Amino acid sequence: MKLNKLFISVVTVLIVTWVVAIMYEPKLPEQIPTHWNIKGEVDDYTSKPWGVYMLPLISTITNLLLFFLPKIAPKGFKLEAAKKVYEILIMVMAVFMLAVMVLMFEAALNNDIDMNKWILGGVGLLFVIIGNYLSKVPKNFFLGIRTPWTLASDEVWFKTHKLGAWAFVICGLLVMIGALLSWPVWLMTGLLMAAGFVPVIYSLIVYKKIEGFSD
């Protein structure tokens, strides 16, 4: 994979992530909140320096690994046809993790921040963005709704991803609205789970209708 403009952009976001973490580090408390329960209360802390640099490290390793994984894809599952969408989603994930890190640091400095509201709202936005690209993803080894039934049939793959795109967008929008209106966390979490679960069941139903099962 050549070092294109998008790769440079992702690296830039990762550098910004590290710079922001370094800038926050002196003013952050020794114990950084890193987990919140369903009520939005902090129930776990991580000490410096790991509490500060954990997310930049995870983001760097994850995003760079995602960039180079397609080079080892098995034959028949190369990513060339979906390369642009794949790389755009890597960029989105890098920006998302930067935003989560800043939000986490601000919560460490301000106990009044409702992390569940902001995180779930952000995940809802992420689902909307992913949904807008999901129907454009051709069959591949790394990206998309990969079930035994979608991988076995091009038609099942296409129909499942078309439905999945709508499920991600609709559920993502509902979660964003729910975050603004302070819906229960269990309801918003359920919507996000439904966005992933419904296309999987649909792929099984469509495969049975198109291909059937051997006795």
Side-chain angles (χ1 to χ4, degrees):
M1 186 178 293
K2 296 195 295 186
L3 301 183
N4 54 27
K5 292 182 180 179
L6 191 56
F7 178 83
I8 295 171
S9 297
V10 171
V11 171
T12 301
V13 173
L14 294 177
I15 292 172
V16 170
T17 301
W18 282 96
V19 170
V20 170
I22 291 170
M23 292 175 64
Y24 264 97
E25 197 271 341
K27 56 185 179 181
L28 289 170
E30 287 299 317
Q31 296 290 323
I32 313 297
T34 51
H35 192 269
W36 289 258
N37 61 27
I38 195 170
K39 296 180 180 179
E41 301 166 342
V42 180
D43 60 5
D44 195 17
Y45 294 84
T46 303
S47 302
K48 286 182 177 180
W50 285 110
V52 179
Y53 299 109
M54 176 177 59
L55 273 181
L57 184 61
I58 292 173
S59 182
T60 300
I61 293 173
T62 301
N63 286 290
L64 292 181
L65 184 62
L66 286 173
F67 251 109
F68 292 106
L69 269 178
K71 298 183 78 171
I72 59 172
K75 292 180 179 179
F77 290 95
K78 294 298 182 180
L79 197 61
E80 280 77 7
K83 180 179 175 182
K84 184 176 181 180
V85 174
Y86 183 77
E87 292 179 346
I88 289 174
L89 292 179
I90 292 175
M91 181 67 181
V92 170
M93 287 301 301
V95 173
F96 179 76
M97 294 185 78
L98 169 59
V100 169
M101 183 192 73
V102 171
L103 186 60
M104 186 178 74
F105 291 163
E106 286 296 321
L109 299 171
N110 180 7
N111 292 329
D112 294 331
I113 291 180
D114 188 340
M115 283 295 289
N116 285 342
K117 172 182 176 179
W118 285 98
I119 291 294
L120 285 170
V123 173
L125 176 60
L126 188 63
F127 270 52
V128 171
I129 295 172
I130 292 174
N132 274 281
Y133 287 101
L134 203 55
S135 62
K136 303 177 180 68
V137 178
K139 189 165 71 173
N140 67 92
F141 188 71
F142 293 102
L143 186 64
I145 304 167
R146 299 180 307 280
T147 71
W149 311 289
T150 56
L151 292 175
S153 167
D154 290 342
E155 187 176 356
V156 174
W157 176 281
F158 172 76
K159 289 186 175 182
T160 298
H161 282 74
K162 187 175 181 180
L163 174 81
W166 280 105
F168 269 58
V169 170
I170 292 172
C171 290
L173 286 173
L174 287 173
V175 169
M176 291 173 66
I177 294 171
L180 291 174
L181 299 179
S182 298
W183 289 358
V185 172
W186 65 264
L187 176 57
M188 291 186 284
T189 304
L191 285 168
L192 294 174
M193 292 177 64
F197 185 69
V198 169
V200 172
I201 299 301
Y202 181 74
S203 70
L204 171 61
I205 294 171
V206 173
Y207 182 86
K208 182 179 180 181
K209 182 178 179 180
I210 296 174
E211 304 286 346
F213 296 105
S214 59
D215 295 328

